[in-house]
């Protein structure tokens, strides 16, 4: 990705999560543990899906990609975040900042569409069980995943391209632990109206389109579930979609709280607080939620441990 810097700023200084010296070391170890758990948890889930044939289904195909995305976008900003706790000045170049912004937007947008595809998968499994194998064929699942990554790539290109076009003249201190959109907009010495309009259109499109699809899918699922008479059928239906509902609620909830445009210094710090949950806690919880609430994953874990110990 070619980056042309027309501004006088060649590097940025990331403030980090906090400027209080006594909190730096405890936060370093806290987020290091979080990072290790995120990587190990998602890698474990990916390994279980690969090693157990009964998990080679559309649902776990999407979950495999979701875990892959969570690992990737943790790599984008967490190492730099950990460095900020140990160094006096956490410097990132202009190109490095734009690259970080691009990949962060790419993986976050892709995750939105993957969660949407998973909602559609749940809908077909509950409402159209007889057509499930045809509708969610390997070819269709691959198309859904390819489309998710392509849409994520397009959104990231627009976000990053509009940011590169801004001029940064005076301050180069980013009040954040990563190169995010709104902290960068606050530093620009040129008009950001067009950028804010582009951001509103793209984010609004992603949220509205995915939100409508997820809402309609769950409305139809709820209508179908209410007409299921057997207790076993109800239990299976809830187990199919409960983990996904939790993940959607956490991801979209904290994501929206994080990207509400800050209007004051206090709201900037509040945005950083919500951003921690959005970027650090949610990726760590993904494998936990799908492991604790899923009998198939528990069975796969037992089989895999049995193979290792025998």
């Amino acid at each position: 990705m070619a980056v042309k810097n027309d501004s006088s700023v060649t590097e940025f200084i990331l403030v980090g999560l906090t400027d209080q010296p006594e909190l730096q070391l405890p936060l370093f170890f806290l987020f290091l543990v979080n990072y290790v758990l995120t990587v190990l948890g998602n890698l474990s889930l990916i390994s279980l899906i690969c090693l157990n044939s009964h998990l080679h289904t559309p649902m776990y195909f999407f979950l495999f990609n979701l875990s892959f995305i969570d690992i990737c976008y943790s790599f984008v900003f967490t190492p730099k975040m950990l460095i900020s706790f140990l160094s006096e000045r956490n410097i990132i170049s202009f190109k490095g900042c734009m690259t970080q912004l691009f990949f962060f937007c790419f993986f976050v947008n892709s995750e939105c569409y993957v969660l949407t595809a998973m909602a559609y998968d749940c809908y077909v499994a509950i409402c159209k069980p007889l057509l499930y194998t045809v509708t969610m064929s390997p070819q269709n699942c691959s198309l859904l995943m390819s489309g998710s990554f392509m849409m994520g790539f397009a959104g990231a290109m627009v976000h990053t391209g509009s940011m590169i076009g801004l001029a940064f003249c005076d301050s180069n201190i980013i009040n954040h632990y990563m190169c995010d959109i709104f902290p960068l907009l606050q530093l620009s010495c040129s008009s950001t109206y067009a950028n804010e309009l582009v951001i509103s259109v793209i984010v609004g499109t992603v949220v509205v389109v995915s939100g409508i699809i997820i809402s309609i899918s769950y409305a139809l699922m709820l209508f179908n579930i209410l007409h299921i008479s057997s207790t076993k059928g109800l239990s299976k239906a809830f187990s199919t979609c409960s983990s996904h509902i939790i993940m959607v609620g956490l991801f979209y909830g904290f994501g929206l709280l994080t990207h509400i445009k800050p209007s004051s210094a206090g709201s900037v710090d509040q945005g950083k607080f919500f951003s921690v949950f959005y970027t650090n806690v949610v990726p760590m919880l993904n494998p936990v939620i799908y492991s604790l609430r899923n009998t198939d994953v528990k069975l796969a874990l037992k089989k895999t441990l049995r193979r290792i110990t025998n």
Side-chain angles (χ1 to χ4, degrees):
M1 182 177 61
V3 178
K4 183 182 179 182
N5 182 7
D6 292 328
S7 65
S8 59
V9 172
T10 58
E11 62 183 24
F12 294 102
I13 299 173
L14 295 167
V15 171
L17 193 60
T18 179
D19 56 358
Q20 299 182 38
E22 67 275 10
L23 295 178
Q24 300 295 335
L25 199 58
L27 286 174
F28 170 79
F29 286 109
L30 176 65
F31 284 99
L32 179 62
V33 170
N34 171 270
Y35 184 50
V36 171
L37 291 177
T38 298
V39 174
L40 289 180
N42 284 286
L43 278 178
S44 299
L45 191 55
I46 287 173
S47 300
L48 286 177
I49 294 171
C50 291
L51 295 173
N52 293 271
S53 57
H54 73 280
L55 297 183
H56 295 174
T57 63
M59 173 184 172
Y60 294 102
F61 171 74
F62 293 124
L63 186 55
F64 174 96
N65 284 278
L66 187 67
S67 293
F68 172 75
I69 289 171
D70 283 340
I71 291 174
C72 288
Y73 96 78
S74 294
F75 276 128
V76 170
F77 61 87
T78 307
K80 197 69 178 172
M81 180 183 183
L82 293 173
I83 291 173
S84 69
F85 293 123
L86 301 177
S87 59
E88 292 185 7
R89 296 180 74 213
N90 185 20
I91 298 172
I92 184 170
S93 67
F94 184 90
K95 290 183 178 180
C97 187
M98 294 301 109
T99 302
Q100 186 185 69
L101 176 66
F102 171 81
F103 282 106
F104 179 70
C105 292
F106 170 60
F107 289 120
V108 168
N109 286 341
S110 298
E111 183 155 341
C112 288
Y113 293 114
V114 172
L115 288 171
T116 305
M118 292 176 75
Y120 178 70
D121 175 64
C122 290
Y123 157 74
V124 178
I126 293 174
C127 300
K128 307 286 183 181
L130 298 178
L131 299 174
Y132 184 77
T133 54
V134 177
T135 306
M136 302 306 296
S137 64
Q139 294 82 4
N140 290 341
C141 290
S142 297
L143 284 174
L144 285 172
M145 273 311 309
S146 300
S148 298
F149 283 118
M150 287 176 63
M151 293 293 288
F153 178 81
M157 284 295 291
V158 174
H159 278 305
T160 311
S162 62
M163 198 63 65
I164 291 172
L166 292 177
F168 299 92
C169 310
D170 302 318
S171 176
N172 66 337
I173 300 175
I174 301 176
N175 187 15
H176 213 289
Y177 55 83
M178 64 178 180
C179 292
D180 205 354
I181 294 172
F182 287 126
L184 283 169
L185 288 179
Q186 292 177 334
L187 297 183
S188 176
C189 56
S190 58
S191 174
T192 61
Y193 175 77
N195 297 73
E196 292 175 12
L197 185 61
V198 168
I199 291 165
S200 299
V201 170
I202 294 177
V203 174
T205 300
V206 173
V207 172
V208 170
V209 171
S210 58
I212 288 175
I213 294 173
I214 292 172
S215 299
I216 292 175
S217 297
Y218 275 103
L220 293 173
M221 278 189 277
L222 180 62
F223 178 79
N224 192 274
I225 288 171
L226 293 175
H227 288 79
I228 297 176
S229 56
S230 66
T231 306
K232 185 178 179 180
L234 279 171
S235 176
K236 184 177 180 180
F238 279 116
S239 65
T240 301
C241 57
S242 59
S243 298
H244 181 260
I245 292 174
I246 295 172
M247 284 304 302
V248 168
L250 290 173
F251 183 80
Y252 280 92
F254 285 116
L256 290 173
L257 288 172
T258 300
H259 289 96
I260 293 174
K261 184 181 177 181
S263 56
S264 65
S267 58
V268 170
D269 292 334
Q270 189 178 42
K272 285 198 288 186
F273 173 77
F274 287 125
S275 184
V276 167
F277 286 91
Y278 177 56
T279 58
N280 294 82
V281 178
V282 173
M284 182 187 68
L285 291 178
N286 172 32
V288 175
I289 292 171
Y290 275 97
S291 298
L292 295 179
R293 303 184 61 85
N294 195 297
T295 54
D296 290 334
V297 174
K298 292 178 183 177
L299 178 62
L301 180 60
K302 290 178 182 177
K303 285 184 177 179
T304 303
L305 291 175
R306 199 177 299 124
R307 289 177 201 163
I308 295 173
T309 54
N310 290 340

